[in-house]
C-alpha cells in the first residue's frame, strides 16, 4: 500500500508541475505571441532581445537619439557629448546602437550600400564633398526622408558651429551632395 501511495503522490506532483509549466507557456503566449506589447522585443533564455528586422524602426531610434544631441557644440575631431565634428557625431550616434561605422568622413566613400536619394529612410547617411577639396568632407544622418528635399542632422563647422538639422535643398549642400548610403 505504501508503494502505491508514493506512486500516486509522484504522479500527482508530476501532473501539477506539468500544468504549471503549460499554464506559464499559455500565459506568456497570450501576451502578443510572446512579444512585449509595448516594444518589439522578445525574451530568449532570460535575455531581452530587440528585434531589429525593420530598418525604419531602427532608423527612428537613431534619429531620436541624434535629436537629443541637437545644440551640442562643433569641436574639431570631437566625438563626445562635449562636442562633435561631423563624422564624430555620426560615429557616436551609430556606436550607441553598437553599429560600427568609420570615424572619418573620407572613409565613408566606399562604406555601406549606396542608395538612390529618392529611396532614403531615416537613419541613412548623406555624403558631401569638402567645401575646399574634391574629397568626402562632410556627412549627416537623414532625419526626414523626402528625396532631394530630405532633412538631415549633422554637426556643422559652418556659422552655427553645433549639431543642427539642415535641408538637403539648401544650395551649399545640394551642390556638394555626393550620395546616400545605408548601413542598417
Amino acid at each position: 500500500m505504501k508503494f502505491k501511495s508514493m506512486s500516486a503522490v509522484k504522479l500527482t506532483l508530476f501532473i501539477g508541475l506539468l500544468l504549471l509549466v503549460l499554464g506559464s507557456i499559455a500565459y506568456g503566449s497570450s501576451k502578443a505571441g510572446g512579444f512585449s506589447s509595448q516594444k518589439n522585443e522578445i525574451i530568449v533564455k532570460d535575455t531581452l532581445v530587440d528585434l531589429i528586422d525593420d530598418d525604419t524602426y531602427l532608423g527612428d531610434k537613431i534619429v531620436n537619439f541624434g535629436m537629443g544631441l541637437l545644440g551640442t557644440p562643433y569641436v574639431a575631431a570631437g566625438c563626445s557629448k562635449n562636442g562633435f565634428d561631423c563624422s564624430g557625431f555620426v560615429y557616436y550616434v551609430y556606436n550607441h546602437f553598437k553599429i560600427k561605422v568609420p570615424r572619418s568622413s573620407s572613409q565613408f566613400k566606399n562604406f555601406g550600400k549606396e542608395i538612390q536619394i529618392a529611396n532614403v529612410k531615416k537613419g541613412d547617411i548623406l555624403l558631401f564633398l569638402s567645401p575646399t577639396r574634391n574629397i568626402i568632407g562632410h556627412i549627416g544622418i537623414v532625419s526626414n526622408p523626402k528625396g532631394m528635399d530630405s532633412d538631415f542632422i549633422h554637426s556643422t563647422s559652418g556659422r552655427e558651429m553645433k549639431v543642427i538639422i539642415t535641408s538637403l535643398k539648401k544650395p551649399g549642400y545640394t551642390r556638394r551632395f555626393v550620395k546616400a548610403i545605408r548601413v542598417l
Side-chain angles (χ1 to χ4, degrees):
M1 187 71 179
K2 212 174 194 183
F3 179 73
K4 282 188 173 183
S5 68
M6 284 301 279
S7 292
V9 168
K10 285 181 182 178
L11 181 61
T12 303
L13 283 174
F14 175 76
I15 291 172
L17 285 173
L18 183 62
L19 289 173
L20 183 64
V21 168
L22 290 174
S24 295
I25 292 171
Y27 177 75
S29 295
S30 71
K31 293 183 127 187
F35 290 87
S36 166
S37 61
Q38 295 192 2
K39 290 178 95 179
N40 194 13
E41 301 169 337
I42 189 169
I43 306 290
V44 179
K45 291 188 179 186
D46 298 325
T47 303
L48 184 65
V49 178
D50 273 343
L51 296 178
I52 304 176
D53 57 347
D54 181 1
D55 293 339
T56 305
Y57 181 66
L58 180 56
D60 284 336
K61 288 170 65 172
I62 286 170
V63 169
N64 289 340
F65 182 75
M67 294 289 198
L69 300 168
L70 282 169
T72 303
Y74 177 88
V75 173
C79 189
S80 75
K81 286 185 175 183
N82 295 327
F84 300 104
D85 65 7
C86 66
S87 59
F89 171 72
V90 172
Y91 179 86
Y92 184 86
V93 170
Y94 274 82
N95 192 56
H96 177 79
F97 295 95
K98 299 185 179 13
I99 300 169
K100 301 300 177 207
V101 297
R103 174 57 188 89
S104 168
S105 57
S106 63
Q107 293 173 328
F108 278 85
K109 181 179 180 183
N110 297 311
F111 187 79
K113 178 184 175 193
E114 184 173 355
I115 54 172
Q116 296 296 316
I117 190 64
N119 298 326
V120 293
K121 296 180 179 179
K122 284 185 176 182
D124 288 338
I125 300 172
L126 303 180
L127 281 57
F128 301 91
L129 290 175
S130 162
T132 58
R133 299 183 310 180
N134 195 27
I135 61 168
I136 303 298
H138 190 68
I139 58 176
I141 301 170
V142 174
S143 58
N144 185 13
K146 297 182 287 186
M148 284 302 289
D149 291 338
S150 295
D151 296 328
F152 61 101
I153 186 168
H154 61 119
S155 184
T156 179
S157 62
R159 184 185 39 168
E160 297 91 348
M161 294 287 292
K162 61 185 175 182
V163 175
I164 62 171
I165 297 172
T166 303
S167 174
L168 182 54
K169 62 185 172 184
K170 188 173 177 182
Y173 289 101
T174 304
R175 184 175 56 257
R176 294 172 34 216
F177 175 69
V178 175
K179 66 180 177 177
I181 62 169
R182 181 164 297 149
V183 299
L184 303 179

